[in-house]
Amino acid sequence: MGKNTKKYILFGPAYGIGGWQLYMNARCKHLHENNIDYYLIFPPETGGRKVKLEYIDKSKRFALEQVEPYWYSKRKVNGKIKEILNFIGFQKSDDIFIESTSMIYSFWGELLAQATKGQNFCYILHSHTKGFPLAWQKFFSYKYDQNLIAGQTEITIPDLLKGYRAISEENSRPIYAQWDGPICDNREDCREYIETLQSYKENGFKLIGYFGVLRKPHFLLLCDYMIKYSKAHSDSNFLFVAIGSSGETRPEIKLSEIPQHTNNCKVYNIPEMYPIPRTIFKLLDICLASWGSSAHAATACKRTIRIYDDVNLIPHGIIGINLQEPYHLHPPVKETMDELFDEILFGSDYSNVPYLEPQNITTSSGGHEKIDAEMKPFLCREDGQKYYEIFGIPFNGGISKLKYVTFHLFGVGFTRKVAAGIRNFVKKGTA
């Protein structure tokens, strides 16, 4: 490597297909096309998941456990940082820019920035940022003062710092994540999926779809809801179509068990893929999704219910009917999920309301130049080479001292194994 080599370090997920991975892939594509030397640091593989997106697959990757570094000894953390420096072939003359897309990885990014005299930009892509420890808020407030943080919406940073520091909407620093759209006109290898849905439709089934990563907590709640709703409408037949995968086992098992609890709701899983044929969404009577997935689904399914967050099963509204852009800035509608379902499936289906298709769908076409303009990679900032004391975080409020002492006495791996064993023993005892 020559002198003053620019190196871009990107922290974030690599396995599977979801909005986060689609952003990571588009970011890698942008860096690749602009001949920027980049490296991806990502969580280790779990559940047999594979890298499924082209530019993530092309990237140089280093697996790093997504655990806060301050739980480990300084010796262990410094050893891991040295491994990363070797991985990127770091030279003292290198110009390092780090984009940390999760809160936990932001702590590692800060340590890596300190070791390289680089800059750590925290791009918070979490959909839920309320209620985090005071100690975390102090760190992210520090990054805010450095102009080295942004959220995915206008509410991300204000929610993250709520109770510690007030951030107005005009100063909330959103950067809209961009990627190529996940819906295509046609795919020959999806004919079986389409024919199966058409068959159910022709036999009078009402098709209810979910689009997204199945490990989100609201998906498990939706499975329970489908049992309840189908029982309340025992004279109708339903097909619950889950479009996506979890990378675990519990969500798919929960889905498969629905027919055991009700005799009029079948289930069908279309595993994660990219892109997905538009026809699949057009065959659905209702599609449910959250965040970016909901807007994309609504371009094909005109009765897409946006779920308010990734935790609870709260209907935000029907996109283009009683929920308009910008969706995330509106409060949830007053109607319950039952009322929305009933109106679509058994009522007038909002026949007197003109449908407004999403207009501001973000894709990677030209979008990453806009992201660069906001993040300003490799720009020398005042205070840009000052770094937060990451190992002081546990003593700044809201962090368990008992957990800290236990991890440092017995090690993170051993303590977590013991804790998991205790939880399993308790579960068996209460089963």
mmCIF file of all heavy atoms in Angstrom, residues 217-259:
data_model
loop_
_atom_site.group_PDB
_atom_site.id
_atom_site.type_symbol
_atom_site.label_atom_id
_atom_site.label_comp_id
_atom_site.label_asym_id
_atom_site.label_seq_id
_atom_site.Cartn_x
_atom_site.Cartn_y
_atom_site.Cartn_z
ATOM 1 N N PRO A 217 -39.652 -9.314 16.861
ATOM 2 C CA PRO A 217 -40.642 -9.707 17.877
ATOM 3 C C PRO A 217 -42.096 -9.591 17.425
ATOM 4 O O PRO A 217 -42.935 -10.408 17.804
ATOM 5 C CB PRO A 217 -40.346 -8.751 19.037
ATOM 6 C CG PRO A 217 -38.899 -8.427 18.885
ATOM 7 C CD PRO A 217 -38.650 -8.372 17.398
ATOM 8 N N HIS A 218 -42.400 -8.587 16.588
ATOM 9 C CA HIS A 218 -43.798 -8.434 16.191
ATOM 10 C C HIS A 218 -44.285 -9.574 15.294
ATOM 11 O O HIS A 218 -45.491 -9.811 15.186
ATOM 12 C CB HIS A 218 -44.063 -7.075 15.528
ATOM 13 C CG HIS A 218 -43.337 -6.832 14.250
ATOM 14 N ND1 HIS A 218 -42.801 -5.610 13.922
ATOM 15 C CD2 HIS A 218 -43.066 -7.635 13.179
ATOM 16 C CE1 HIS A 218 -42.249 -5.668 12.725
ATOM 17 N NE2 HIS A 218 -42.401 -6.892 12.257
ATOM 18 N N PHE A 219 -43.365 -10.307 14.657
ATOM 19 C CA PHE A 219 -43.801 -11.428 13.825
ATOM 20 C C PHE A 219 -44.390 -12.542 14.682
ATOM 21 O O PHE A 219 -45.403 -13.148 14.317
ATOM 22 C CB PHE A 219 -42.650 -11.975 12.983
ATOM 23 C CG PHE A 219 -43.029 -13.197 12.186
ATOM 24 C CD1 PHE A 219 -43.833 -13.085 11.070
ATOM 25 C CD2 PHE A 219 -42.630 -14.467 12.583
ATOM 26 C CE1 PHE A 219 -44.223 -14.204 10.338
ATOM 27 C CE2 PHE A 219 -42.999 -15.591 11.860
ATOM 28 C CZ PHE A 219 -43.797 -15.466 10.743
ATOM 29 N N LEU A 220 -43.791 -12.823 15.819
ATOM 30 C CA LEU A 220 -44.332 -13.848 16.726
ATOM 31 C C LEU A 220 -45.712 -13.434 17.225
ATOM 32 O O LEU A 220 -46.623 -14.261 17.338
ATOM 33 C CB LEU A 220 -43.376 -14.057 17.911
ATOM 34 C CG LEU A 220 -41.969 -14.545 17.560
ATOM 35 C CD1 LEU A 220 -41.117 -14.656 18.817
ATOM 36 C CD2 LEU A 220 -42.007 -15.878 16.835
ATOM 37 N N LEU A 221 -45.877 -12.156 17.508
ATOM 38 C CA LEU A 221 -47.184 -11.643 17.935
ATOM 39 C C LEU A 221 -48.205 -11.763 16.799
ATOM 40 O O LEU A 221 -49.389 -12.041 17.039
ATOM 41 C CB LEU A 221 -47.059 -10.187 18.374
ATOM 42 C CG LEU A 221 -46.151 -9.916 19.583
ATOM 43 C CD1 LEU A 221 -46.026 -8.415 19.825
ATOM 44 C CD2 LEU A 221 -46.696 -10.610 20.825
ATOM 45 N N LEU A 222 -47.742 -11.552 15.572
ATOM 46 C CA LEU A 222 -48.632 -11.660 14.422
ATOM 47 C C LEU A 222 -49.106 -13.101 14.227
ATOM 48 O O LEU A 222 -50.264 -13.336 13.842
ATOM 49 C CB LEU A 222 -47.933 -11.148 13.159
ATOM 50 C CG LEU A 222 -48.742 -11.149 11.868
ATOM 51 C CD1 LEU A 222 -50.033 -10.361 12.019
ATOM 52 C CD2 LEU A 222 -47.902 -10.580 10.716
ATOM 53 N N CYS A 223 -48.239 -14.062 14.500
ATOM 54 C CA CYS A 223 -48.646 -15.468 14.422
ATOM 55 C C CYS A 223 -49.794 -15.739 15.393
ATOM 56 O O CYS A 223 -50.790 -16.398 15.046
ATOM 57 C CB CYS A 223 -47.461 -16.383 14.732
ATOM 58 S SG CYS A 223 -46.197 -16.424 13.440
ATOM 59 N N ASP A 224 -49.673 -15.255 16.621
ATOM 60 C CA ASP A 224 -50.745 -15.409 17.617
ATOM 61 C C ASP A 224 -52.012 -14.694 17.153
ATOM 62 O O ASP A 224 -53.133 -15.196 17.335
ATOM 63 C CB ASP A 224 -50.301 -14.847 18.973
ATOM 64 C CG ASP A 224 -49.220 -15.687 19.631
ATOM 65 O OD1 ASP A 224 -49.179 -16.911 19.376
ATOM 66 O OD2 ASP A 224 -48.422 -15.127 20.404
ATOM 67 N N TYR A 225 -51.828 -13.526 16.558
ATOM 68 C CA TYR A 225 -52.979 -12.760 16.091
ATOM 69 C C TYR A 225 -53.728 -13.505 14.990
ATOM 70 O O TYR A 225 -54.979 -13.507 14.967
ATOM 71 C CB TYR A 225 -52.541 -11.385 15.577
ATOM 72 C CG TYR A 225 -53.691 -10.583 15.017
ATOM 73 C CD1 TYR A 225 -54.589 -9.947 15.866
ATOM 74 C CD2 TYR A 225 -53.903 -10.508 13.640
ATOM 75 C CE1 TYR A 225 -55.672 -9.243 15.353
ATOM 76 C CE2 TYR A 225 -54.969 -9.801 13.120
ATOM 77 C CZ TYR A 225 -55.851 -9.171 13.981
ATOM 78 O OH TYR A 225 -56.935 -8.483 13.468
ATOM 79 N N MET A 226 -53.013 -14.142 14.077
ATOM 80 C CA MET A 226 -53.671 -14.870 12.992
ATOM 81 C C MET A 226 -54.514 -16.025 13.524
ATOM 82 O O MET A 226 -55.575 -16.337 12.962
ATOM 83 C CB MET A 226 -52.638 -15.379 11.982
ATOM 84 C CG MET A 226 -52.055 -14.295 11.085
ATOM 85 S SD MET A 226 -53.305 -13.326 10.199
ATOM 86 C CE MET A 226 -54.205 -14.608 9.333
ATOM 87 N N ILE A 227 -54.063 -16.651 14.588
ATOM 88 C CA ILE A 227 -54.873 -17.714 15.228
ATOM 89 C C ILE A 227 -56.157 -17.111 15.771
ATOM 90 O O ILE A 227 -57.260 -17.616 15.518
ATOM 91 C CB ILE A 227 -54.072 -18.389 16.361
ATOM 92 C CG1 ILE A 227 -52.872 -19.132 15.788
ATOM 93 C CG2 ILE A 227 -54.965 -19.343 17.161
ATOM 94 C CD1 ILE A 227 -51.896 -19.641 16.840
ATOM 95 N N LYS A 228 -56.026 -16.019 16.496
ATOM 96 C CA LYS A 228 -57.177 -15.350 17.108
ATOM 97 C C LYS A 228 -58.160 -14.850 16.041
ATOM 98 O O LYS A 228 -59.379 -15.049 16.152
ATOM 99 C CB LYS A 228 -56.675 -14.183 17.969
ATOM 100 C CG LYS A 228 -57.743 -13.247 18.500
ATOM 101 C CD LYS A 228 -57.111 -12.155 19.347
ATOM 102 C CE LYS A 228 -58.054 -11.000 19.586
ATOM 103 N NZ LYS A 228 -58.266 -10.139 18.398
ATOM 104 N N TYR A 229 -57.626 -14.193 15.008
ATOM 105 C CA TYR A 229 -58.508 -13.603 14.002
ATOM 106 C C TYR A 229 -59.230 -14.675 13.186
ATOM 107 O O TYR A 229 -60.424 -14.545 12.895
ATOM 108 C CB TYR A 229 -57.712 -12.686 13.075
ATOM 109 C CG TYR A 229 -58.601 -11.866 12.158
ATOM 110 C CD1 TYR A 229 -59.214 -10.705 12.622
ATOM 111 C CD2 TYR A 229 -58.845 -12.267 10.839
ATOM 112 C CE1 TYR A 229 -60.047 -9.964 11.798
ATOM 113 C CE2 TYR A 229 -59.668 -11.527 10.009
ATOM 114 C CZ TYR A 229 -60.271 -10.380 10.494
ATOM 115 O OH TYR A 229 -61.111 -9.653 9.675
ATOM 116 N N SER A 230 -58.525 -15.727 12.819
ATOM 117 C CA SER A 230 -59.163 -16.778 12.024
ATOM 118 C C SER A 230 -60.242 -17.503 12.827
ATOM 119 O O SER A 230 -61.285 -17.889 12.288
ATOM 120 C CB SER A 230 -58.127 -17.771 11.498
ATOM 121 O OG SER A 230 -57.432 -18.392 12.550
ATOM 122 N N LYS A 231 -60.025 -17.672 14.117
ATOM 123 C CA LYS A 231 -61.051 -18.297 14.966
ATOM 124 C C LYS A 231 -62.297 -17.421 15.053
ATOM 125 O O LYS A 231 -63.428 -17.923 15.101
ATOM 126 C CB LYS A 231 -60.496 -18.534 16.376
ATOM 127 C CG LYS A 231 -59.571 -19.743 16.491
ATOM 128 C CD LYS A 231 -59.132 -19.933 17.937
ATOM 129 C CE LYS A 231 -58.302 -21.207 18.090
ATOM 130 N NZ LYS A 231 -57.858 -21.399 19.498
ATOM 131 N N ALA A 232 -62.089 -16.107 15.057
ATOM 132 C CA ALA A 232 -63.229 -15.176 15.125
ATOM 133 C C ALA A 232 -64.008 -15.136 13.820
ATOM 134 O O ALA A 232 -65.139 -14.644 13.786
ATOM 135 C CB ALA A 232 -62.729 -13.779 15.482
ATOM 136 N N HIS A 233 -63.402 -15.657 12.733
ATOM 137 C CA HIS A 233 -64.065 -15.685 11.419
ATOM 138 C C HIS A 233 -64.028 -17.120 10.899
ATOM 139 O O HIS A 233 -63.449 -17.409 9.836
ATOM 140 C CB HIS A 233 -63.375 -14.722 10.457
ATOM 141 C CG HIS A 233 -63.463 -13.284 10.877
ATOM 142 N ND1 HIS A 233 -64.528 -12.476 10.532
ATOM 143 C CD2 HIS A 233 -62.635 -12.534 11.639
ATOM 144 C CE1 HIS A 233 -64.343 -11.269 11.066
ATOM 145 N NE2 HIS A 233 -63.202 -11.287 11.737
ATOM 146 N N SER A 234 -64.661 -17.986 11.642
ATOM 147 C CA SER A 234 -64.593 -19.430 11.369
ATOM 148 C C SER A 234 -65.280 -19.836 10.072
ATOM 149 O O SER A 234 -65.078 -20.957 9.579
ATOM 150 C CB SER A 234 -65.209 -20.211 12.541
ATOM 151 O OG SER A 234 -66.534 -19.789 12.775
ATOM 152 N N ASP A 235 -66.078 -18.933 9.476
ATOM 153 C CA ASP A 235 -66.756 -19.262 8.218
ATOM 154 C C ASP A 235 -65.911 -18.881 6.999
ATOM 155 O O ASP A 235 -66.354 -19.012 5.862
ATOM 156 C CB ASP A 235 -68.113 -18.557 8.141
ATOM 157 C CG ASP A 235 -68.005 -17.053 8.359
ATOM 158 O OD1 ASP A 235 -66.944 -16.600 8.864
ATOM 159 O OD2 ASP A 235 -68.966 -16.332 8.040
ATOM 160 N N SER A 236 -64.675 -18.398 7.242
ATOM 161 C CA SER A 236 -63.769 -18.041 6.150
ATOM 162 C C SER A 236 -62.480 -18.835 6.270
ATOM 163 O O SER A 236 -62.146 -19.338 7.345
ATOM 164 C CB SER A 236 -63.437 -16.535 6.182
ATOM 165 O OG SER A 236 -64.601 -15.761 5.971
ATOM 166 N N ASN A 237 -61.755 -18.949 5.163
ATOM 167 C CA ASN A 237 -60.459 -19.632 5.156
ATOM 168 C C ASN A 237 -59.342 -18.633 4.873
ATOM 169 O O ASN A 237 -59.489 -17.751 4.020
ATOM 170 C CB ASN A 237 -60.438 -20.738 4.095
ATOM 171 C CG ASN A 237 -61.330 -21.907 4.481
ATOM 172 O OD1 ASN A 237 -61.309 -22.349 5.628
ATOM 173 N ND2 ASN A 237 -62.112 -22.401 3.534
ATOM 174 N N PHE A 238 -58.242 -18.796 5.581
ATOM 175 C CA PHE A 238 -57.122 -17.863 5.466
ATOM 176 C C PHE A 238 -55.832 -18.607 5.127
ATOM 177 O O PHE A 238 -55.623 -19.745 5.550
ATOM 178 C CB PHE A 238 -56.918 -17.107 6.783
ATOM 179 C CG PHE A 238 -58.117 -16.313 7.231
ATOM 180 C CD1 PHE A 238 -59.094 -16.905 8.031
ATOM 181 C CD2 PHE A 238 -58.281 -14.999 6.838
ATOM 182 C CE1 PHE A 238 -60.202 -16.187 8.446
ATOM 183 C CE2 PHE A 238 -59.391 -14.271 7.249
ATOM 184 C CZ PHE A 238 -60.362 -14.873 8.055
ATOM 185 N N LEU A 239 -54.981 -17.930 4.379
ATOM 186 C CA LEU A 239 -53.613 -18.402 4.165
ATOM 187 C C LEU A 239 -52.691 -17.293 4.655
ATOM 188 O O LEU A 239 -52.728 -16.168 4.148
ATOM 189 C CB LEU A 239 -53.334 -18.681 2.686
ATOM 190 C CG LEU A 239 -51.887 -19.113 2.384
ATOM 191 C CD1 LEU A 239 -51.602 -20.496 2.976
ATOM 192 C CD2 LEU A 239 -51.611 -19.107 0.882
ATOM 193 N N PHE A 240 -51.869 -17.615 5.649
ATOM 194 C CA PHE A 240 -50.902 -16.657 6.172
ATOM 195 C C PHE A 240 -49.569 -16.898 5.473
ATOM 196 O O PHE A 240 -48.959 -17.953 5.621
ATOM 197 C CB PHE A 240 -50.775 -16.814 7.687
ATOM 198 C CG PHE A 240 -49.819 -15.832 8.323
ATOM 199 C CD1 PHE A 240 -49.731 -14.524 7.879
ATOM 200 C CD2 PHE A 240 -49.014 -16.236 9.380
ATOM 201 C CE1 PHE A 240 -48.853 -13.619 8.467
ATOM 202 C CE2 PHE A 240 -48.134 -15.340 9.984
ATOM 203 C CZ PHE A 240 -48.053 -14.030 9.525
ATOM 204 N N VAL A 241 -49.130 -15.922 4.673
ATOM 205 C CA VAL A 241 -47.934 -16.043 3.849
ATOM 206 C C VAL A 241 -46.797 -15.233 4.471
ATOM 207 O O VAL A 241 -46.861 -14.001 4.519
ATOM 208 C CB VAL A 241 -48.188 -15.537 2.414
ATOM 209 C CG1 VAL A 241 -46.986 -15.799 1.526
ATOM 210 C CG2 VAL A 241 -49.446 -16.163 1.833
ATOM 211 N N ALA A 242 -45.765 -15.916 4.961
ATOM 212 C CA ALA A 242 -44.602 -15.235 5.528
ATOM 213 C C ALA A 242 -43.513 -15.142 4.469
ATOM 214 O O ALA A 242 -42.980 -16.169 4.038
ATOM 215 C CB ALA A 242 -44.098 -15.985 6.756
ATOM 216 N N ILE A 243 -43.201 -13.928 4.037
ATOM 217 C CA ILE A 243 -42.196 -13.711 3.001
ATOM 218 C C ILE A 243 -40.915 -13.266 3.688
ATOM 219 O O ILE A 243 -40.751 -12.094 4.049
ATOM 220 C CB ILE A 243 -42.659 -12.655 1.986
ATOM 221 C CG1 ILE A 243 -44.040 -13.018 1.420
ATOM 222 C CG2 ILE A 243 -41.649 -12.504 0.855
ATOM 223 C CD1 ILE A 243 -44.698 -11.900 0.632
ATOM 224 N N GLY A 244 -40.003 -14.196 3.905
ATOM 225 C CA GLY A 244 -38.760 -13.882 4.595
ATOM 226 C C GLY A 244 -38.273 -15.073 5.396
ATOM 227 O O GLY A 244 -38.919 -16.123 5.437
ATOM 228 N N SER A 245 -37.137 -14.908 6.042
ATOM 229 C CA SER A 245 -36.533 -15.952 6.875
ATOM 230 C C SER A 245 -36.063 -15.317 8.169
ATOM 231 O O SER A 245 -35.998 -14.092 8.296
ATOM 232 C CB SER A 245 -35.356 -16.607 6.149
ATOM 233 O OG SER A 245 -35.763 -17.164 4.914
ATOM 234 N N SER A 246 -35.713 -16.161 9.149
ATOM 235 C CA SER A 246 -35.299 -15.641 10.450
ATOM 236 C C SER A 246 -33.822 -15.851 10.737
ATOM 237 O O SER A 246 -33.222 -15.102 11.496
ATOM 238 C CB SER A 246 -36.117 -16.298 11.563
ATOM 239 O OG SER A 246 -35.738 -17.655 11.727
ATOM 240 N N GLY A 247 -33.227 -16.909 10.165
ATOM 241 C CA GLY A 247 -31.870 -17.269 10.535
ATOM 242 C C GLY A 247 -31.820 -17.984 11.862
ATOM 243 O O GLY A 247 -30.755 -18.290 12.390
ATOM 244 N N GLU A 248 -33.010 -18.264 12.415
ATOM 245 C CA GLU A 248 -33.127 -18.993 13.679
ATOM 246 C C GLU A 248 -34.048 -20.176 13.403
ATOM 247 O O GLU A 248 -34.172 -20.621 12.283
ATOM 248 C CB GLU A 248 -33.681 -18.072 14.775
ATOM 249 C CG GLU A 248 -32.841 -16.817 14.993
ATOM 250 C CD GLU A 248 -33.519 -15.788 15.876
ATOM 251 O OE1 GLU A 248 -34.597 -16.083 16.440
ATOM 252 O OE2 GLU A 248 -32.967 -14.677 16.004
ATOM 253 N N THR A 249 -34.709 -20.701 14.417
ATOM 254 C CA THR A 249 -35.680 -21.779 14.198
ATOM 255 C C THR A 249 -37.049 -21.436 14.787
ATOM 256 O O THR A 249 -38.074 -21.834 14.252
ATOM 257 C CB THR A 249 -35.195 -23.098 14.827
ATOM 258 O OG1 THR A 249 -34.911 -22.891 16.216
ATOM 259 C CG2 THR A 249 -33.945 -23.601 14.122
ATOM 260 N N ARG A 250 -37.055 -20.666 15.871
ATOM 261 C CA ARG A 250 -38.311 -20.416 16.586
ATOM 262 C C ARG A 250 -39.389 -19.757 15.724
ATOM 263 O O ARG A 250 -40.545 -20.193 15.740
ATOM 264 C CB ARG A 250 -38.026 -19.555 17.830
ATOM 265 C CG ARG A 250 -39.255 -19.381 18.720
ATOM 266 C CD ARG A 250 -38.957 -18.475 19.898
ATOM 267 N NE ARG A 250 -40.172 -18.146 20.635
ATOM 268 C CZ ARG A 250 -40.329 -17.043 21.345
ATOM 269 N NH1 ARG A 250 -39.347 -16.172 21.424
ATOM 270 N NH2 ARG A 250 -41.443 -16.813 21.993
ATOM 271 N N PRO A 251 -39.087 -18.676 14.957
ATOM 272 C CA PRO A 251 -40.152 -18.046 14.170
ATOM 273 C C PRO A 251 -40.792 -18.982 13.159
ATOM 274 O O PRO A 251 -42.022 -19.020 13.012
ATOM 275 C CB PRO A 251 -39.435 -16.875 13.490
ATOM 276 C CG PRO A 251 -38.297 -16.557 14.399
ATOM 277 C CD PRO A 251 -37.836 -17.893 14.890
ATOM 278 N N GLU A 252 -39.975 -19.753 12.425
ATOM 279 C CA GLU A 252 -40.529 -20.686 11.437
ATOM 280 C C GLU A 252 -41.348 -21.785 12.116
ATOM 281 O O GLU A 252 -42.381 -22.221 11.592
ATOM 282 C CB GLU A 252 -39.410 -21.284 10.595
ATOM 283 C CG GLU A 252 -38.952 -20.404 9.440
ATOM 284 C CD GLU A 252 -37.867 -19.409 9.826
ATOM 285 O OE1 GLU A 252 -37.579 -19.261 11.038
ATOM 286 O OE2 GLU A 252 -37.307 -18.762 8.932
ATOM 287 N N ILE A 253 -40.894 -22.234 13.285
ATOM 288 C CA ILE A 253 -41.659 -23.242 14.041
ATOM 289 C C ILE A 253 -42.993 -22.650 14.484
ATOM 290 O O ILE A 253 -44.044 -23.282 14.362
ATOM 291 C CB ILE A 253 -40.853 -23.749 15.252
ATOM 292 C CG1 ILE A 253 -39.672 -24.595 14.783
ATOM 293 C CG2 ILE A 253 -41.744 -24.559 16.197
ATOM 294 C CD1 ILE A 253 -38.720 -24.996 15.886
ATOM 295 N N LYS A 254 -42.951 -21.426 14.999
ATOM 296 C CA LYS A 254 -44.174 -20.736 15.435
ATOM 297 C C LYS A 254 -45.154 -20.619 14.267
ATOM 298 O O LYS A 254 -46.369 -20.850 14.439
ATOM 299 C CB LYS A 254 -43.803 -19.345 15.938
ATOM 300 C CG LYS A 254 -44.968 -18.515 16.453
ATOM 301 C CD LYS A 254 -45.212 -18.714 17.911
ATOM 302 C CE LYS A 254 -46.216 -17.719 18.450
ATOM 303 N NZ LYS A 254 -46.552 -17.966 19.866
ATOM 304 N N LEU A 255 -44.639 -20.277 13.099
ATOM 305 C CA LEU A 255 -45.482 -20.181 11.905
ATOM 306 C C LEU A 255 -46.108 -21.531 11.578
ATOM 307 O O LEU A 255 -47.328 -21.618 11.358
ATOM 308 C CB LEU A 255 -44.641 -19.694 10.720
ATOM 309 C CG LEU A 255 -45.325 -19.669 9.357
ATOM 310 C CD1 LEU A 255 -46.375 -18.565 9.309
ATOM 311 C CD2 LEU A 255 -44.285 -19.460 8.241
ATOM 312 N N SER A 256 -45.313 -22.575 11.567
ATOM 313 C CA SER A 256 -45.808 -23.907 11.175
ATOM 314 C C SER A 256 -46.838 -24.456 12.154
ATOM 315 O O SER A 256 -47.637 -25.314 11.789
ATOM 316 C CB SER A 256 -44.632 -24.888 11.056
ATOM 317 O OG SER A 256 -44.059 -25.145 12.326
ATOM 318 N N GLU A 257 -46.831 -23.971 13.388
ATOM 319 C CA GLU A 257 -47.747 -24.485 14.406
ATOM 320 C C GLU A 257 -49.118 -23.829 14.378
ATOM 321 O O GLU A 257 -50.042 -24.295 15.055
ATOM 322 C CB GLU A 257 -47.117 -24.302 15.794
ATOM 323 C CG GLU A 257 -45.931 -25.229 16.048
ATOM 324 C CD GLU A 257 -45.246 -24.973 17.370
ATOM 325 O OE1 GLU A 257 -45.499 -23.902 17.986
ATOM 326 O OE2 GLU A 257 -44.451 -25.824 17.805
ATOM 327 N N ILE A 258 -49.286 -22.774 13.592
ATOM 328 C CA ILE A 258 -50.581 -22.080 13.544
ATOM 329 C C ILE A 258 -51.738 -23.016 13.199
ATOM 330 O O ILE A 258 -52.774 -22.998 13.874
ATOM 331 C CB ILE A 258 -50.514 -20.878 12.564
ATOM 332 C CG1 ILE A 258 -49.655 -19.768 13.165
ATOM 333 C CG2 ILE A 258 -51.924 -20.352 12.241
ATOM 334 C CD1 ILE A 258 -49.443 -18.573 12.242
ATOM 335 N N PRO A 259 -51.627 -23.879 12.168
ATOM 336 C CA PRO A 259 -52.752 -24.772 11.831
ATOM 337 C C PRO A 259 -53.123 -25.756 12.940
ATOM 338 O O PRO A 259 -54.220 -26.323 12.912
ATOM 339 C CB PRO A 259 -52.246 -25.506 10.579
ATOM 340 C CG PRO A 259 -51.217 -24.614 9.987
ATOM 341 C CD PRO A 259 -50.543 -23.983 11.166
#
